[in-house]
Short mmCIF file of all heavy atoms in Angstrom, two decimals:
data_model
loop_
_atom_site.label_atom_id
_atom_site.label_comp_id
_atom_site.label_asym_id
_atom_site.label_seq_id
_atom_site.Cartn_x
_atom_site.Cartn_y
_atom_site.Cartn_z
N HIS A 56 58.15 7.93 134.56
CA HIS A 56 59.61 7.96 134.33
C HIS A 56 60.24 6.64 134.78
O HIS A 56 61.07 6.06 134.07
CB HIS A 56 60.23 9.13 135.08
CG HIS A 56 61.71 9.26 134.86
ND1 HIS A 56 62.25 9.60 133.63
CD2 HIS A 56 62.77 9.05 135.70
CE1 HIS A 56 63.57 9.62 133.72
NE2 HIS A 56 63.92 9.29 134.97
N LYS A 57 59.83 6.15 135.93
CA LYS A 57 60.35 4.88 136.44
C LYS A 57 59.93 3.73 135.52
O LYS A 57 60.72 2.82 135.25
CB LYS A 57 59.84 4.63 137.86
CG LYS A 57 60.47 3.44 138.56
CD LYS A 57 60.08 3.44 140.03
CE LYS A 57 60.82 2.35 140.80
NZ LYS A 57 60.42 1.01 140.41
N LEU A 58 58.70 3.78 135.03
CA LEU A 58 58.22 2.77 134.10
C LEU A 58 59.08 2.75 132.83
O LEU A 58 59.50 1.68 132.36
CB LEU A 58 56.76 3.03 133.74
CG LEU A 58 56.16 2.20 132.59
CD1 LEU A 58 56.19 0.71 132.93
CD2 LEU A 58 54.74 2.65 132.28
N GLU A 59 59.35 3.92 132.32
CA GLU A 59 60.18 4.01 131.11
C GLU A 59 61.57 3.43 131.36
O GLU A 59 62.13 2.72 130.51
CB GLU A 59 60.29 5.47 130.66
CG GLU A 59 58.99 6.04 130.12
CD GLU A 59 59.06 7.53 129.89
OE1 GLU A 59 60.14 8.13 130.16
OE2 GLU A 59 58.06 8.12 129.45
N GLU A 60 62.14 3.74 132.50
CA GLU A 60 63.47 3.23 132.83
C GLU A 60 63.47 1.70 132.87
O GLU A 60 64.39 1.05 132.37
CB GLU A 60 63.94 3.79 134.17
CG GLU A 60 64.30 5.27 134.13
CD GLU A 60 64.77 5.77 135.49
OE1 GLU A 60 64.47 5.10 136.51
OE2 GLU A 60 65.44 6.82 135.54
N GLU A 61 62.45 1.13 133.47
CA GLU A 61 62.39 -0.33 133.59
C GLU A 61 62.17 -0.98 132.22
O GLU A 61 62.74 -2.05 131.95
CB GLU A 61 61.26 -0.73 134.55
CG GLU A 61 61.57 -0.38 136.00
CD GLU A 61 60.51 -0.91 136.95
OE1 GLU A 61 59.83 -1.89 136.61
OE2 GLU A 61 60.38 -0.33 138.06
N LEU A 62 61.39 -0.34 131.38
CA LEU A 62 61.18 -0.88 130.03
C LEU A 62 62.46 -0.81 129.21
O LEU A 62 62.81 -1.75 128.49
CB LEU A 62 60.06 -0.12 129.32
CG LEU A 62 58.64 -0.36 129.84
CD1 LEU A 62 57.66 0.61 129.19
CD2 LEU A 62 58.21 -1.80 129.58
N LEU A 63 63.19 0.30 129.34
CA LEU A 63 64.43 0.45 128.59
C LEU A 63 65.52 -0.50 129.09
O LEU A 63 66.43 -0.86 128.35
CB LEU A 63 64.93 1.90 128.70
CG LEU A 63 64.12 2.94 127.93
CD1 LEU A 63 64.55 4.35 128.31
CD2 LEU A 63 64.25 2.74 126.43
N ALA A 64 65.40 -0.90 130.33
CA ALA A 64 66.40 -1.80 130.91
C ALA A 64 66.22 -3.25 130.48
O ALA A 64 67.11 -4.08 130.66
CB ALA A 64 66.36 -1.71 132.44
N LEU A 65 65.09 -3.58 129.88
CA LEU A 65 64.83 -4.94 129.42
C LEU A 65 65.76 -5.27 128.25
O LEU A 65 65.90 -4.49 127.32
CB LEU A 65 63.38 -5.10 128.99
CG LEU A 65 62.31 -5.00 130.09
CD1 LEU A 65 60.92 -5.00 129.47
CD2 LEU A 65 62.45 -6.15 131.07
N LYS A 66 66.34 -6.43 128.29
CA LYS A 66 67.23 -6.89 127.23
C LYS A 66 66.46 -7.80 126.28
O LYS A 66 65.95 -8.84 126.69
CB LYS A 66 68.43 -7.63 127.82
CG LYS A 66 69.22 -6.83 128.84
CD LYS A 66 69.80 -5.54 128.23
CE LYS A 66 70.63 -4.77 129.27
NZ LYS A 66 71.13 -3.49 128.73
N SER A 67 66.38 -7.41 125.01
CA SER A 67 65.62 -8.18 124.01
C SER A 67 64.26 -8.60 124.57
O SER A 67 63.95 -9.80 124.66
CB SER A 67 66.43 -9.42 123.58
OG SER A 67 67.68 -9.05 123.06
N PRO A 68 63.46 -7.64 124.96
CA PRO A 68 62.21 -7.98 125.66
C PRO A 68 61.17 -8.66 124.76
O PRO A 68 61.04 -8.34 123.58
CB PRO A 68 61.70 -6.61 126.12
CG PRO A 68 62.25 -5.65 125.11
CD PRO A 68 63.60 -6.19 124.78
N SER A 69 60.47 -9.59 125.35
CA SER A 69 59.34 -10.20 124.68
C SER A 69 58.08 -9.44 125.08
O SER A 69 58.10 -8.60 125.99
CB SER A 69 59.21 -11.67 125.12
OG SER A 69 58.90 -11.73 126.51
N ALA A 70 56.98 -9.74 124.41
CA ALA A 70 55.71 -9.12 124.77
C ALA A 70 55.36 -9.44 126.22
O ALA A 70 54.81 -8.60 126.94
CB ALA A 70 54.61 -9.60 123.83
N GLU A 71 55.69 -10.65 126.64
CA GLU A 71 55.40 -11.06 128.00
C GLU A 71 56.22 -10.26 129.00
O GLU A 71 55.73 -9.90 130.08
CB GLU A 71 55.69 -12.56 128.19
CG GLU A 71 54.71 -13.49 127.48
CD GLU A 71 54.91 -13.53 125.96
OE1 GLU A 71 56.00 -13.11 125.48
OE2 GLU A 71 53.99 -13.99 125.27
N ASP A 72 57.48 -9.97 128.65
CA ASP A 72 58.33 -9.17 129.53
C ASP A 72 57.75 -7.77 129.72
O ASP A 72 57.70 -7.24 130.84
CB ASP A 72 59.74 -9.05 128.96
CG ASP A 72 60.48 -10.38 128.91
OD1 ASP A 72 60.15 -11.25 129.74
OD2 ASP A 72 61.35 -10.54 128.03
N ILE A 73 57.35 -7.17 128.62
CA ILE A 73 56.79 -5.81 128.67
C ILE A 73 55.48 -5.81 129.47
O ILE A 73 55.27 -4.95 130.32
CB ILE A 73 56.54 -5.28 127.24
CG1 ILE A 73 57.88 -5.14 126.51
CG2 ILE A 73 55.79 -3.95 127.26
CD1 ILE A 73 57.74 -4.86 125.03
N ALA A 74 54.64 -6.80 129.20
CA ALA A 74 53.38 -6.89 129.93
C ALA A 74 53.62 -7.05 131.42
O ALA A 74 52.90 -6.48 132.25
CB ALA A 74 52.56 -8.07 129.41
N GLY A 75 54.64 -7.80 131.77
CA GLY A 75 54.96 -8.01 133.18
C GLY A 75 55.32 -6.71 133.89
O GLY A 75 54.87 -6.46 135.01
N VAL A 76 56.13 -5.88 133.23
CA VAL A 76 56.51 -4.59 133.82
C VAL A 76 55.29 -3.69 133.97
O VAL A 76 55.07 -3.06 135.01
CB VAL A 76 57.58 -3.89 132.95
CG1 VAL A 76 57.84 -2.47 133.46
CG2 VAL A 76 58.87 -4.70 132.96
N LEU A 77 54.48 -3.64 132.91
CA LEU A 77 53.29 -2.80 132.95
C LEU A 77 52.32 -3.25 134.03
O LEU A 77 51.76 -2.43 134.77
CB LEU A 77 52.60 -2.82 131.58
CG LEU A 77 53.34 -2.13 130.44
CD1 LEU A 77 52.62 -2.39 129.12
CD2 LEU A 77 53.45 -0.63 130.68
N GLU A 78 52.12 -4.55 134.14
CA GLU A 78 51.19 -5.07 135.13
C GLU A 78 51.69 -4.84 136.56
O GLU A 78 50.90 -4.62 137.49
CB GLU A 78 50.94 -6.56 134.87
CG GLU A 78 50.05 -6.78 133.65
CD GLU A 78 50.13 -8.19 133.09
OE1 GLU A 78 50.71 -9.06 133.78
OE2 GLU A 78 49.64 -8.42 131.97
N SER A 79 53.00 -4.88 136.73
CA SER A 79 53.59 -4.61 138.04
C SER A 79 53.30 -3.18 138.47
O SER A 79 52.90 -2.93 139.62
CB SER A 79 55.10 -4.86 138.00
OG SER A 79 55.72 -4.45 139.21
N HIS A 80 53.49 -2.24 137.54
CA HIS A 80 53.22 -0.83 137.86
C HIS A 80 51.73 -0.59 138.06
O HIS A 80 51.33 0.20 138.92
CB HIS A 80 53.76 0.06 136.74
CG HIS A 80 55.21 0.36 136.87
ND1 HIS A 80 55.70 1.50 137.46
CD2 HIS A 80 56.31 -0.37 136.51
CE1 HIS A 80 57.02 1.49 137.44
NE2 HIS A 80 57.42 0.35 136.87
#
């Protein structure tokens, strides 16, 4: 749930942005 929230909070996310969130979790 927290992961989803952080992904949804990204503004115009790039693949690198998404990968960064996933790798952090």
Side-chain angles (χ1 to χ4, degrees):
H56 182 67
K57 188 170 187 293
L58 170 62
E59 291 171 0
E60 289 181 340
E61 290 186 24
L62 289 172
L63 289 170
L65 294 172
K66 304 299 182 184
S67 302
S69 64
E71 289 74 17
D72 294 333
I73 295 170
V76 173
L77 291 173
E78 286 162 12
S79 173
H80 277 264

